Amino acid sequence: MLKVLIVDDEEVVRQGIRLGVDWNSLGCTVVGEAANGEEGLAAARQLAPELIITDVRMPRMDGIEMMQRLREEGCTAHVIVLTAYNEFDYARSALRFGAADYLLKPFRDQELVAAILRVRQSQDGRTEAPGAQLPQLPGGDKSKYVQRTLEYVAGHYGDTDINITTIARSIGITEGHLSHVFKKETGYTVLNYLTQYRICMACRLLSGGEHKVYEVAEKVGYRDVTYFGSTFKKFTGLSPTEYQDRKG
């Protein structure tokens, strides 16, 4: 599990981040919180998080100074920076000290989930079996409809009724147009991307050993556990039980 530290001077923001994300399904666990950069620095030293989600402007020590100090001490944690100030200098400073992503407040839960998944994807390509990897997307900027589709899948893959119709309706585009632009920009059909995404999330849940196969099937949007099993084996070469046994 990826250890996560949340640093923000607003308690309501920290609570929203902690409760608004299904951390377990992302292969993450929140190990601590801090209300400013000084507390964040101390917590990072003690807890050794692998992902830090931090505000920029905070009392006593801001997020940029905290990042700088941590990097000087050899900390290699991924950092997602949050800020209410849409200023290039802040973005540039965050990137200078190795920020993995930069989100402007107020942000939606799905945007944060997408940022976390990009961090996980950068790690998973090096450390996990093929079945546990997120679908690999080609580089380059994505259109707003494709980006919204990726975010929608990240936030709703556990819904049993999700399909191209519900996605298209949610983002305000026709099914035909969505099918065309998504395939053109990603190389996947919407359904194939959704399926691979679900199987990736299932792999992470099974690896934890905390859930039964039928529970995992439900969590990733499958009503029929037999169909889930056949789909899982198609993508990983193993049945869910075999995969869980190997990871156990």
Side-chain angles (χ1 to χ4, degrees):
M1 300 286 277
L2 199 72
K3 295 190 293 183
V4 181
L5 172 66
I6 302 170
V7 186
D8 197 292
D9 60 321
E10 296 182 70
E11 184 177 358
V12 66
V13 174
R14 297 198 305 273
Q15 183 178 26
I17 293 173
R18 189 176 69 253
L19 300 179
V21 173
D22 184 352
W23 295 101
N24 191 56
S25 71
L26 297 175
C28 300
T29 181
V30 176
V31 294
E33 297 180 24
N36 57 61
E38 282 188 0
E39 292 183 8
L41 188 62
R45 289 166 175 164
Q46 178 184 359
L47 301 170
E50 294 148 299
L51 171 60
I52 300 172
I53 300 173
T54 182
D55 192 15
V56 169
R57 290 200 172 181
M58 296 179 290
R60 299 173 64 178
M61 181 187 293
D62 65 26
I64 301 300
E65 184 179 352
M66 180 189 71
M67 288 179 63
Q68 181 179 6
R69 296 276 293 276
L70 286 172
R71 295 305 188 219
E72 289 172 351
E73 294 176 12
C75 175
T76 59
H78 299 278
V79 180
I80 297 174
V81 173
L82 315 173
T83 180
Y85 302 89
N86 189 13
E87 300 175 5
F88 177 71
D89 285 345
Y90 283 103
R92 183 171 57 188
S93 297
L95 294 172
R96 184 186 311 141
F97 296 114
D101 224 319
Y102 182 84
L103 299 180
L104 182 65
K105 293 182 176 179
F107 53 87
R108 295 175 296 169
D109 290 342
Q110 295 95 322
E111 292 176 298
L112 178 57
V113 168
I116 294 166
L117 286 170
R118 284 191 287 273
V119 169
R120 289 305 316 249
Q121 187 171 17
S122 70
Q123 285 202 331
D124 294 346
R126 297 190 301 270
T127 62
E128 291 191 9
Q133 293 181 25
L134 293 172
Q136 300 294 308
L137 302 178
D141 294 335
K142 304 292 186 292
S143 66
K144 65 177 182 179
Y145 292 121
V146 169
Q147 188 59 45
R148 287 176 184 174
T149 299
L150 298 175
E151 292 171 0
Y152 190 90
V153 169
H156 296 84
Y157 66 88
D159 297 350
T160 56
D161 61 348
I162 184 176
N163 54 42
I164 190 170
T165 301
T166 58
I167 296 172
R169 184 184 302 122
S170 173
I171 66 177
I173 189 176
T174 65
E175 293 179 38
H177 188 39
L178 176 58
S179 295
H180 174 72
V181 297
F182 195 86
K183 176 70 172 179
K184 180 180 179 181
E185 295 183 25
T186 70
Y188 294 92
T189 66
V190 174
L191 178 59
N192 189 250
Y193 178 84
L194 170 62
T195 301
Q196 291 198 41
Y197 194 100
R198 282 172 157 170
I199 297 304
C200 172
M201 295 297 106
C203 286
R204 291 177 179 169
L205 289 170
L206 290 167
S207 296
E210 300 170 358
H211 303 285
K212 298 183 184 300
V213 171
Y214 76 87
E215 293 174 330
V216 172
E218 291 174 355
K219 285 180 176 294
V220 299
Y222 288 89
R223 292 191 182 96
D224 185 337
V225 68
T226 301
Y227 180 65
F228 164 69
S230 64
T231 304
F232 188 93
K233 188 165 187 175
K234 174 183 176 182
F235 280 90
T236 68
L238 299 170
S239 71
T241 302
E242 290 170 337
Y243 186 89
Q244 194 170 46
D245 288 344
R246 286 196 179 187
K247 292 293 182 175

